[in-house]
Amino acid sequence: MRFDPKLIQQLQTARRITALTGAGISKESGIPTFREAQTGLWENYEATELATPQAFQRNPKLVWEWYQWRRSLVTQAEPNPAHMALVLMEQRVPTFRLITQNVDGLHQRAGSRNIIELHGNILRTKCFEHNHLVDHWQEDGQIPPRCPVCGGQLRPDVVWFGENLPSSAIQRAAAAAQQTDIFLSIGTSGLVNPAASLPYMAIEAGALLVEVNPDHPPLTIYADYQLTSPAGEILPELVTQIWPSKGANS
Ligand code: OAD
């Protein structure tokens, strides 16, 4: 795979790189994306029936079980070479920030340390009523299970449509977008705000925009470089070409 030598040089000399990832980076781990034709989750399910507080209030059992299904996909999945490449970038770039919209925890499992999770994490559970995180609960057949503190219903610790993002996460993400030399947008359709606004903040602040996506979402026209192969192919190759003399563990 050949990249523009100028891009490689810019990545080599960048002091600050911020990456934003979306569902596309986990596709090669076997986790479906949301908006792709045929295979996307929102192609087959109604987001409003599954990923809103109202949906949960209407049918908590359906929502809990749908997230249990997604949890099982996530726990069976493994990080792929794209996740691993971002671990190497974190180790080699002086200031590297990783912002993810994904709730699958695969960046953590790959070994990335400094991760800003915008949409929560599907492996965590919290109380629907009071929002506190819950580690253990009794499996007494109730679906969803009950909060051991207040007896209310439990839900996944993810951000649903109509809910606010964790304020510290979005503040840190905005700062990471505004204070970077290069912004990498990887595997996201860029259709859900406020995450979708981050690349534009980066451009406005003068960053170079590099997009990794086999498709051409609306952001593509603003990208300085469009890398249109799957992230699991592009990112490891990019890392190898940026730091050719370093082995995977150096
Ligand atoms: P989408 O499903 O909207 O977009 C996934 C993107 O990944 C698409 O643009 C694909 O072209 C691209 N893609 C597919 N395979 C790829 C690969 N191998 N390498 C690189 N890119 C690939 O997913 P998101 O943009 O993450 O939010 O969706 C954003 C938010 O909408 C999600 O976090 C979720 C969803 O509803 C909530 O649930 C709040």
Side-chain angles (χ1 to χ4, degrees), residues 11 17-19 82-97 112 184 186 234-236 238-239 242-243:
L11 286 161
I17 297 182
T18 295
H83 297 104
M84 305 313 293
L86 294 182
V87 177
L88 293 181
M89 274 200 190
E90 181 174 59
Q91 290 165 359
R92 289 169 190 175
V93 176
T95 303
F96 181 79
R97 262 103 31 132
S112 288
L184 301 176
I186 304 164
I234 294 274
L235 292 177
L238 202 56
V239 163
I242 304 169
W243 298 285

Side-chain angles (χ1 to χ4, degrees), residues 49-225:
E49 294 301 322
L50 293 161
T52 64
Q54 295 76 14
F56 185 78
Q57 281 170 315
R58 262 197 312 273
N59 197 339
K61 181 168 184 288
L62 174 79
V63 172
W64 178 266
E65 287 180 336
W66 189 69
Y67 277 92
Q68 282 293 83
W69 168 69
R70 283 184 54 202
R71 262 185 215 125
S72 71
L73 293 180
V74 163
T75 48
Q76 285 159 33
E78 295 293 336
N80 69 56
H83 297 104
M84 305 313 293
L86 294 182
V87 177
L88 293 181
M89 274 200 190
E90 181 174 59
Q91 290 165 359
R92 289 169 190 175
V93 176
T95 303
F96 181 79
R97 262 103 31 132
L98 176 54
I99 308 165
T100 190
Q101 298 164 87
N102 298 344
V103 296
D104 56 31
L106 288 181
H107 287 304
Q108 286 88 335
R109 282 174 53 200
S112 288
R113 303 243 169 274
N114 198 357
I115 305 161
I116 303 170
E117 282 183 331
L118 291 179
H119 292 166
N121 190 310
I122 200 170
L123 301 173
R124 290 193 303 259
T125 298
K126 66 180 183 180
C127 175
F128 179 72
E129 211 52 55
H130 303 106
N131 245 7
H132 49 253
L133 289 178
V134 170
D135 280 338
H136 298 288
W137 56 87
Q138 241 187 330
E139 293 290 358
D140 58 3
Q142 295 200 83
I143 304 174
R146 300 299 149 148
C147 172
V149 180
C150 71
Q153 292 176 321
L154 294 180
R155 58 164 282 183
D157 183 25
V158 297
V159 176
W160 281 332
F161 291 103
E163 293 185 317
N164 290 328
L165 275 62
S167 60
S168 89
I170 190 62
Q171 276 165 21
R172 283 185 297 139
Q178 285 162 334
Q179 297 159 23
T180 191
D181 302 316
I182 300 183
F183 190 95
L184 301 176
S185 174
I186 304 164
T188 177
S189 60
L191 295 176
V192 175
N193 270 312
S197 64
L198 294 168
Y200 298 98
M201 285 184 188
I203 298 171
E204 262 178 41
L208 189 84
L209 178 66
V210 180
E211 183 181 65
V212 180
N213 195 319
D215 196 8
H216 299 92
L219 179 68
T220 305
I221 54 168
Y222 299 98
D224 296 286
Y225 295 95

